[in-house]
Amino acid sequence: MTATTPAGTSSGTTTPTSTDPSGTRTGRGAPGSVGPSHTGSAATRVLGLLALAAVGLLVLYGLVISPADREMADSVRIMYVHVPSATYLYVGCFITSLASGLWLWKRTPGWDALGETGAEVALVFSFVTLLTGSLWGRPTWGTYWVWDARLTSTAVLTALLIGYLALRRLDLDPDARSTRAAVLGLLLVPNVLVVNRSVEWWRSIHQDSTLVKLDPTIEGDMLVALMVGFLALGLVFTWLMVHRFRVAWLEQQADRVDLDAALRERRAEAKGQVAPPAAPDRFDTSDPSGPDVDEKVTPA
Amino acid sequence: MEPAVHLRDAVALLGRFPALAGIDLDVRRGEIVLLRGPNGAGKTTVLRVCAGLVPVVRGVATVLGHDLRRDVRPVRRRVGLLGHATGLFDDLTVADNVTFWGRAYRAGDADIAAALDLVGLSTRLRDVPVARLSAGQRRRTSLACLLARRPELWLLDEPHAGLDHDARDLLDGLARQAVDQGATVVMSSHELERAEALADRVVELDGGMAGQTLHEVPHVA
Amino acid sequence: MIAMTHAGYVAAAWLAPAALIGGYALVLLRRGRSLSRQVPTEERRWS
Amino acid sequence: MWRDASLVAGRDLRVEARSRVTINQVAPFALLVLILFAFALDPDGPVLERATPGLYWITVLFSALLAIARSAAVDEADGVRDALRLSALDPAGVFVGKALAVAAELAALEALLGLGVIILYGADPAALGLLGGTCLTATVAVASTGTLYGALVSGLRVRETLLPLLLLPVLAPVLIAATRAFEAALGGVPADGWPWCGLLAAFAVLYSVAGALAYGTLLEGS
């Protein structure tokens, strides 16, 4: 899964929840100099390898070492994927809400990118959760869909995430889109809590006794297998988050780059009749409030 | 008395398009300035920037003494924008519209009634839903909304468009009257001969940048 | 290990997520690669 | 804030009074949906009678979608957003005003549908206190959520389809709670219904506060 390009590069690390990445830019390398042409880095390669190793361990434990369950026989093995992915689904939603809140407060584009990242990775994990949940339901209760509290709220959560990502994909102007997405993102966690609470209550009334509780009592190798499940999916989650964050970060940079060309074009349009002022080069369009970081022309 | 509008190398964006690419513009208090220039030169954007509706991402932008880059809210309370869009509710009557917007701008009922009289809508058309009005009458209604709040800075975006002859005289008269009471007017227009008659100064605009002042209209004492 | 009950379901419950996540990872790498070409190096905060 | 709210609510209700959209279009639509449900489920069988609370609230939700879309459209008239930003109106006041107007329309719709359900489905109202409490909290919940999400999608080309996509998952808990509360009221033990009413009240408070805080930001972000 990791990018195994040979380009040896100095190790630069970006934690997925990097703060204020849009601050002042450091060195000003010549634009277009050939750097690594992908979102991989030494850190993600290490992370990727670790994730693969953990998945290998999970396969070993989940399918081989851990015993079958007394009642559910081997179908319990699905739990080792289902439960962790449900957990990381909620982690992704939490990151999105947190990032949205911080974007509304601090307006640095890094948070906006993190909000989008959290939601998309959470959506992938929600599909995994729904898939494994229904595949688990089939052998255990004979139906693909069980109106079990957790599964139902996951389905509603998936709809919320799809709505959020749909709003982000509309081509508004960047600032308006980020603001609206941030408000929606901030509401994600409260929505999830209310949905869970109401679905939990709803199902607890109709919980007929025959339903085997989803979490059978687990200990010994089965518990280890579940823990390995959490480890493996956790590493995979982090790896996906880091790469998706960088993709979002690149998308933002790409937006800005065309802008400077547009500025030069706009000036040329003036048919020379109007003297263009001293041509300031790069400027940061993303924080309209604060004074511009690259201000070359000192205000009169 | 600081200038009504002071823009120095101001850049403003519409989405990703730099509508204003470093504009310099100064308007003194009590002046009527006409912005002239081809379509897409940024005339409307200048007016919307002065109204605090479009953020300035670079350069200096001060209106009525307030720095737009720090906080636009104080400016918004003191300007009146008359644009292509009338901002009226089609289902409501003329009186309802002007009353709502008047109150929204904290204008007193007296000012609202006076505004309706000034634009000649206080009698026959008063209770006609805006949907059934002609374009010119709609513009008079939104002009009434502007009058009701007695702004210090009038920002008129092609105000003469769609107005009949006496409506234009009415507008020019009201603008002149407001200036005499200390207001300032910045407007853009394509009816050049009429607009230049009204304006004290004409500024050529192109490519989102302001050029030199074309000519000072000798101020008829 | 082979004499597993519900083998079909367990296999599906493991392979489908692997395919989903694997596919998503590949899409991410490809998007990252194509975007990286458009953005000059210093804009990136990793190397 | 409350002065602005009453000003905006008054305007929205006057727009409705003049245009009569809710009365002439949304209300008949709501009744029509009730009738369609009867076609779908055989009216003399037990299903319709047992499902009455659920059908009632689904109809209310769909009618609410129309009322909310209408309320948002009022502010999307040309230039209104700019005029609002230029005005001295407190955004929270505008939100509360619009939400109150939608709530009023919803309350009327709920009353009408209540009659509809009694007449068409033969439901016999019981535990009126619980019914009323549920309607009140659910109406405020739907109105505040709808007004906020209406602002979220305002000005977008695809808002007609985006609004239901965003709003219905959020309103799922309202549907669950309101239906269970009604079942408790009509069917048997009203005491079971009150916790659901509590959940609705919490939902209403959450979204009223969120709406009041976020409305200014949404109005600002062009």
Side-chain angles (χ1 to χ4, degrees):
Chain A
M1 246 179 307
T2 62
T4 54
T5 52
T9 49
S10 66
S11 82
T13 56
T14 308
T15 56
T17 54
S18 64
T19 52
D20 194 13
S22 87
T24 54
R25 271 168 296 289
T26 44
R28 188 160 304 288
S33 66
V34 176
S37 63
H38 51 71
T39 56
S41 72
T44 53
R45 257 188 288 292
V46 168
L47 192 59
L49 289 178
L50 275 177
L52 274 182
V55 167
L57 199 63
L58 178 60
V59 169
L60 191 65
Y61 261 91
L63 297 180
V64 178
I65 297 175
S66 66
D69 181 67
R70 279 182 306 286
E71 294 124 18
M72 293 197 289
D74 288 296
S75 68
V76 75
R77 298 181 193 285
I78 299 176
M79 175 181 74
Y80 305 140
V81 177
H82 177 70
V83 172
S85 78
T87 312
Y88 290 109
L89 160 61
Y90 289 115
V91 169
C93 291
F94 178 75
I95 289 177
T96 297
S97 274
L98 189 70
S100 301
L102 285 166
W103 190 86
L104 282 173
W105 180 32
K106 297 237 284 286
R107 299 262 167 180
T108 43
W111 293 120
D112 179 44
L114 187 58
E116 181 173 14
T117 305
E120 195 165 286
V121 176
L123 186 66
V124 171
F125 274 76
S126 74
F127 287 138
V128 168
T129 308
L130 289 174
L131 207 63
T132 49
S134 60
L135 280 172
W136 194 358
R138 183 76 178 92
T140 319
W141 298 294
T143 60
Y144 272 111
W145 180 255
V146 168
W147 288 99
D148 146 75
R150 197 186 12 227
L151 223 50
T152 320
S153 38
T154 307
V156 175
L157 178 50
T158 308
L160 287 172
L161 288 169
I162 289 172
Y164 174 84
L165 291 168
L167 182 74
R168 284 202 83 93
R169 212 162 275 113
L170 293 172
D171 55 1
L172 283 156
D173 84 275
D175 196 53
R177 182 184 55 202
S178 307
T179 307
R180 295 180 188 217
V183 170
L184 199 55
L186 189 59
L187 288 173
L188 201 57
V189 163
N191 280 339
V192 164
L193 295 178
V194 173
V195 165
N196 283 0
R197 181 88 337 271
S198 53
V199 169
E200 210 74 38
W201 268 4
W202 169 43
R203 293 317 301 153
S204 67
I205 301 171
H206 293 274
Q207 195 73 43
D208 35 38
S209 58
T210 58
L211 259 186
V212 169
K213 269 207 61 45
L214 262 184
D215 315 332
T217 53
I218 44 174
E219 70 302 317
D221 284 340
M222 290 168 83
L223 185 61
V224 172
L226 187 59
M227 290 308 124
V228 172
F230 273 104
L231 175 68
L233 285 182
L235 290 171
V236 167
F237 176 81
T238 312
W239 188 87
L240 288 174
M241 285 289 286
V242 169
H243 273 278
R244 183 60 183 82
F245 177 80
R246 290 176 180 170
V247 166
W249 175 255
L250 287 174
E251 274 162 3
Q252 278 178 355
Q253 300 307 328
D255 270 358
R256 264 160 34 93
V257 168
D258 326 339
L259 197 59
D260 308 311
L263 191 58
R264 276 186 288 278
E265 241 170 70
R266 177 72 168 148
R267 293 235 168 78
E269 224 177 77
K271 296 194 278 305
Q273 183 196 23
V274 167
D281 55 351
R282 310 297 296 269
F283 62 87
D284 192 342
T285 64
S286 40
D287 53 351
S289 50
D292 168 51
V293 168
D294 292 312
E295 184 56 83
K296 289 281 184 311
V297 175
T298 50
Chain B
M1 247 329 231
E2 81 282 285
V5 173
H6 169 62
L7 301 180
R8 180 71 64 240
D9 183 23
V11 173
L13 297 172
L14 290 184
R16 293 190 186 75
F17 174 69
L20 296 186
I23 184 171
D24 299 336
L25 179 67
D26 276 285
V27 175
R28 289 185 303 280
R29 290 276 178 128
E31 211 186 357
I32 297 182
V33 167
L34 169 65
L35 300 176
R36 227 181 60 159
N39 283 329
K43 300 194 293 296
T44 303
T45 309
V46 168
L47 297 173
R48 285 172 63 82
V49 162
C50 294
L53 292 174
V54 173
V56 173
V57 289
R58 165 187 285 271
V60 173
T62 313
V63 169
L64 299 172
H66 299 286
D67 174 6
L68 287 180
R69 293 196 62 183
R70 227 158 4 84
D71 183 11
V72 287
R73 275 188 299 272
V75 171
R76 290 182 174 171
R77 302 285 177 280
R78 300 168 61 184
V79 300
L81 177 66
L82 190 65
H84 306 297
T86 57
L88 299 174
F89 303 103
D90 284 353
D91 299 301
L92 294 184
T93 66
V94 168
D96 288 339
N97 267 293
V98 180
T99 309
F100 173 76
W101 287 118
R103 292 225 179 90
Y105 295 128
R106 303 294 184 256
D109 290 347
D111 294 337
I112 295 173
L116 276 171
D117 291 341
L118 280 172
V119 292
L121 287 172
S122 63
T123 51
R124 198 165 42 79
L125 296 175
R126 194 175 190 295
D127 296 317
V128 169
V130 165
R132 283 210 288 275
L133 293 181
S134 72
Q137 287 160 338
R138 276 171 197 267
R139 254 200 135 64
R140 282 173 184 247
T141 312
S142 42
L143 179 59
C145 294
L146 184 139
L147 280 172
R149 59 188 295 199
R150 299 220 295 243
E152 293 168 53
L153 174 61
W154 288 37
L155 299 164
L156 309 176
D157 195 358
E158 289 174 25
H160 296 111
L163 289 187
D164 51 35
H165 188 67
D166 47 25
R168 288 183 179 174
D169 291 343
L170 173 72
L171 179 73
D172 294 354
L174 290 171
R176 180 60 63 194
Q177 192 186 344
V179 164
D180 297 345
Q181 289 157 7
T184 311
V185 175
V186 179
M187 67 180 191
S188 72
S189 183
H190 284 302
E191 280 90 0
L192 293 184
E193 68 299 329
R194 169 169 275 281
E196 276 170 13
L198 176 64
D200 301 334
R201 191 156 60 93
V202 178
V203 173
E204 181 64 29
L205 212 69
D206 197 356
M209 288 180 292
Q212 68 292 5
T213 305
L214 279 185
H215 55 269
E216 292 275 349
V217 174
H219 203 55
V220 174
Chain C
M1 197 302 250
I2 301 309
M4 208 188 348
T5 61
H6 317 299
Y9 297 112
V10 173
W14 281 62
L15 290 177
L20 204 67
I21 292 181
Y24 180 62
L26 291 180
V27 162
L28 275 187
L29 289 176
R30 215 155 17 87
R31 264 170 76 184
R33 210 177 293 278
S34 69
L35 277 168
S36 301
R37 264 188 293 279
Q38 293 166 13
V39 176
T41 321
E42 85 277 1
E43 284 315 313
R44 290 197 292 271
R45 298 179 51 82
W46 63 88
S47 54
Chain D
M1 205 267 286
W2 293 104
R3 199 156 44 89
D4 297 346
S6 60
L7 179 68
V8 170
R11 176 207 65 188
D12 270 16
L13 289 175
R14 196 171 298 124
V15 165
E16 168 48 31
R18 291 240 188 286
S19 65
R20 314 181 78 74
V21 163
T22 307
I23 297 167
N24 294 352
Q25 293 170 19
V26 179
F29 161 79
L31 290 174
L32 188 60
V33 171
L34 280 187
I35 295 166
L36 291 181
F37 275 136
F39 292 160
L41 312 162
D42 116 58
D44 2 329
V47 174
L48 191 64
E49 216 273 329
R50 209 157 57 80
T52 302
L55 300 180
Y56 174 84
W57 281 107
I58 285 183
T59 314
V60 166
L61 276 195
F62 285 152
S63 320
L65 278 180
L66 296 182
I68 289 161
R70 170 76 190 138
S71 159
V74 165
D75 275 1
E76 261 151 48
D78 219 359
V80 167
R81 267 176 87 85
D82 285 348
L84 277 177
R85 285 155 73 188
L86 284 183
S87 77
L89 288 176
D90 167 12
V94 175
F95 169 77
V96 169
K98 288 191 78 63
L100 284 177
V102 169
E105 285 173 26
L106 268 186
L109 273 172
E110 282 164 24
L112 178 74
L113 283 175
L115 277 178
V117 162
I118 291 168
I119 296 164
L120 295 176
Y121 294 177
D124 51 3
L128 287 181
L130 179 58
L131 292 183
T134 309
C135 279
L136 179 67
T137 45
T139 305
V140 172
V142 171
S144 47
T145 319
T147 307
L148 175 57
Y149 278 74
L152 258 174
V153 298
S154 74
L156 302 179
R157 284 186 329 284
V158 287
R159 56 183 179 281
E160 292 79 16
T161 48
L162 190 58
L163 184 62
L165 172 63
L166 294 183
L167 200 49
L168 290 179
V170 175
L171 289 180
V174 173
L175 178 62
I176 295 173
T179 307
R180 295 290 88 71
F182 262 41
E183 266 169 15
L186 297 181
V189 184
D192 290 352
W194 285 109
W196 290 110
C197 218
L199 182 70
L200 279 172
F203 193 99
V205 166
L206 163 78
Y207 265 93
S208 303
V209 170
L213 294 178
Y215 205 79
T217 326
L218 289 174
L219 203 61
E220 202 49 48
S222 76

